[in-house]
Amino acid sequence: MDANEFLTEINAAYHRLEMKQTEIVHALFHRAFEITSGWYNGHYHKSNDGEWCRESYPIPVTSVNSVCDIEIQFDKIYVSTKLKRDVVLAYSFEKMADYQFEAYGVKDYLADYYHQGETIQDLKDAINCCNEDEIGFSFTFPFEIDGKQIFEFVKLLRREGFYY
């Protein structure tokens, strides 16, 4: 592959991200949310062998003031938010049962407290043993989710007391 073909592929991939960011921003804009957007590198993901990897390339991130960050990756969309430790311990998570999420430390963001497939009691047991004052949550959505669905989810987060 020559440089021009490579740049054409990169531009196509980033155009797709830009279009998804535009869709999400449009769905949230002027709807009782204050939002900002930008492109950021330095995000982390877990490799297939379970190790944390830092990514150097930028992705679009839309911040919903006081509620969450929406990170648009090439294959998925992640909504990051948090709760106070004592709230997590008291929260039933019934309204989050249909959503795929992980929980991690805010001070030590590489500390995992919950993965899909574990029980909510597993999450609470892990939180009982940690020193964190706040617990971070990352909700995972397919890239194809539309902006209106993200808008409805952000409203749910706000109603349930999640913040950022």
Side-chain angles (χ1 to χ4, degrees), residues 93-146:
F93 287 89
E94 286 177 24
K95 293 183 180 175
M96 300 299 157
D98 293 334
Y99 299 102
Q100 181 179 341
F101 69 91
E102 294 186 350
Y104 53 90
V106 170
K107 289 181 203 166
D108 180 4
Y109 59 89
L110 299 181
D112 296 326
Y113 298 125
Y114 177 84
H115 297 282
Q116 199 64 29
E118 297 178 329
T119 68
I120 296 303
Q121 189 57 52
D122 292 335
L123 167 64
K124 292 182 178 190
D125 290 346
I127 301 306
N128 266 325
C129 297
C130 78
N131 299 356
E132 298 275 350
D133 296 327
E134 298 173 307
I135 305 303
F137 290 86
S138 180
F139 292 86
T140 305
F141 295 93
F143 187 88
E144 295 72 26
I145 191 171
D146 67 35

Side-chain angles (χ1 to χ4, degrees), residues 48 59 63 67 80 101 120 124 126-127 148 159:
N48 291 338
I59 59 168
S63 296
V67 182
S80 300
F101 69 91
I120 296 303
K124 292 182 178 190
I127 301 306
K148 184 174 177 4
R159 278 193 312 269

Side-chain angles (χ1 to χ4, degrees), residues 54-72:
R54 183 185 178 279
E55 301 295 354
S56 295
Y57 58 84
I59 59 168
V61 177
T62 299
S63 296
V64 181
N65 189 34
S66 302
V67 182
C68 64
D69 274 356
I70 302 164
E71 302 171 11
I72 304 169

Side-chain angles (χ1 to χ4, degrees), residues 13-56:
Y14 272 92
H15 177 74
R16 184 172 178 251
L17 295 180
E18 282 181 316
M19 293 298 97
K20 182 55 76 173
Q21 181 184 35
T22 299
E23 176 187 339
I24 290 171
V25 166
H26 184 265
L28 293 168
F29 195 68
H30 295 303
R31 302 228 183 159
F33 293 117
E34 183 182 321
I35 59 172
T36 57
S37 292
W39 290 76
Y40 301 95
N41 65 338
H43 47 281
Y44 285 79
H45 82 276
K46 275 201 176 174
S47 66
N48 291 338
D49 61 359
E51 296 296 318
W52 285 105
C53 300
R54 183 185 178 279
E55 301 295 354
S56 295

